[in-house]
Amino acid sequence: MIRYGPAGIPLSCKGRTLKDGIEDVHNLALTALEIQMVRPKIEMVPPDPDYDVGKNMKELDAETGFVVGIEKEDGTILYDPEEIIEEEDNLMVMPAGVAARFGDLYPLGHMAKRHDVSLSLHTPYYMDLGTSIESDDEKECMLTQQYIDTVVQAGVILNALQGDIVVTNVGLYNDKKRSRDETEDNIRNNLSFILEMWEDLDLKPRLGIEITGQQDVFGSLEQVFDLCDEFEGLTPVLNFPHHQARTKGSLNLQTDFVDIINQFAGYSDNHVYASFSNVEFTPEGNEKWFTPLKKGELRFERLAEALADLKPDMTLISSSPLLEHDAVYMRTLTERVLSKKAAKQIKEDKKRQESATEEA
């Protein structure tokens, strides 16, 4: 089946909470929602001896905030939701968390299941795993650790929501500070560390590496596939507008879409996770901005024809500025193509039957 949904809470949604977003997506007859992880700043806050100590992350009140982890007295970070909080601990509070408190994630995940809405989560777009935690630059070390922590925290959050996939970019090249080979080595080292934590924490969501739309950012089609071939546990994420920009407009014909979908279908039990919008880009192959589906050279009609032929197991996220409007449009247009194909097939079958009857 193909699931459609927006990249973020629908623009038309009156409430701005995740609960409102799930309900609104369901009411629009959509079946996917990609949560946008914005401003994942962490504040270390001592627990309240009267209200927090002796509880775990799931039991904390909204007044404490969205606690995503616990820092022990020796500096160890624990993301176990069952870990009991002690007076000497520090609470890792995310002011812009996806819910009022961590414990809310569990009923929200159950609610999404009831509404048949598949949840995913996209880390901030400024992620940079091309730096090293062993750098001589103290600021760079801290930022690298912050980026690593953000990806792991995204996994912890989506795991509680029983979601499907955490999508992330991995970093940009900085030719003034390091060679491209060194950047790529750092990316591999950091991803290896993240995947070890993923396994230690027994996180169920997949970790997806997305195609990027800038030449100076790691994430071409080949680079993403190379990472996913090298590391068990990584899934390639197909971002159509990013690929269109990066390859200077390679997606034109139905066969172009069929070919690229088939390449992704060989991963992760043949489930393809993708996003679509139209896009404007420079002659050098650098994305400028996303545009609505009807404004640009990237034709969703060609993709709809490919989807009607392949009928892939896919989640297709609208990253268009029109979000849910274009998510509904994508679903409607694909259904229209499928209906036309079905009507054509019925007509051809009827002709064959009439011809066979006449011959008899």
Side-chain angles (χ1 to χ4, degrees), residues 33 45 49 95 103 191 231 269 286 298 346 360:
L33 172 61
V45 178
L191 282 174
F231 293 101
D269 297 327
N286 291 309
L298 187 58
I346 291 171

Side-chain angles (χ1 to χ4, degrees), residues 39-79:
R39 301 188 303 277
K41 181 182 177 182
I42 293 293
E43 297 177 356
M44 293 297 188
V45 178
D48 187 307
D50 297 324
Y51 297 100
D52 300 331
V53 173
K55 296 180 180 178
N56 61 36
M57 283 164 46
K58 297 192 293 184
E59 297 170 331
L60 294 174
D61 296 329
E63 288 77 7
T64 304
F66 187 86
V67 177
V68 73
I70 300 169
E71 182 186 46
K72 305 303 288 184
E73 190 176 12
D74 62 359
T76 303
I77 303 296
L78 298 178
Y79 292 109

Side-chain angles (χ1 to χ4, degrees), residues 275-295:
S275 62
F276 193 95
S277 75
N278 228 308
V279 63
E280 292 195 17
F281 53 91
T282 67
E284 295 76 28
N286 291 309
E287 171 201 314
K288 293 198 288 186
W289 50 71
F290 287 168
T291 59
L293 262 62
K294 296 180 180 180
K295 295 184 179 180

Side-chain angles (χ1 to χ4, degrees), residues 238-241 243-244 249-265 272 274-278 297-310 312 314 316:
L238 174 52
N239 189 305
F240 286 105
H243 184 70
Q244 179 77 341
S250 66
L251 298 173
N252 296 303
L253 306 175
Q254 175 187 350
T255 52
D256 297 329
F257 288 99
V258 168
D259 178 62
I260 195 169
I261 290 171
N262 280 334
Q263 291 184 64
F264 278 79
V272 179
S275 62
F276 193 95
S277 75
N278 228 308
E297 297 179 358
L298 187 58
R299 300 291 301 278
F300 183 79
E301 291 83 353
R302 302 290 84 80
L303 174 56
E305 291 165 0
L307 295 176
D309 282 344
L310 294 173
M314 173 183 275
L316 188 55

Side-chain angles (χ1 to χ4, degrees), residues 196-212:
E196 285 180 14
M197 294 189 68
W198 216 265
E199 185 175 355
D200 290 343
L201 294 168
D202 194 26
L203 300 181
K204 304 303 182 187
R206 297 174 291 154
L207 179 57
I209 307 299
E210 184 176 41
I211 292 177
T212 59

Side-chain angles (χ1 to χ4, degrees), residues 20 53 75 91 108 117 144 163 216 244 264 277 282 296 335 346 358:
D20 297 320
V53 173
L91 305 181
L108 286 171
V117 175
T144 305
D216 61 351
Q244 179 77 341
F264 278 79
S277 75
T282 67
E335 290 173 348
I346 291 171
E358 291 175 358

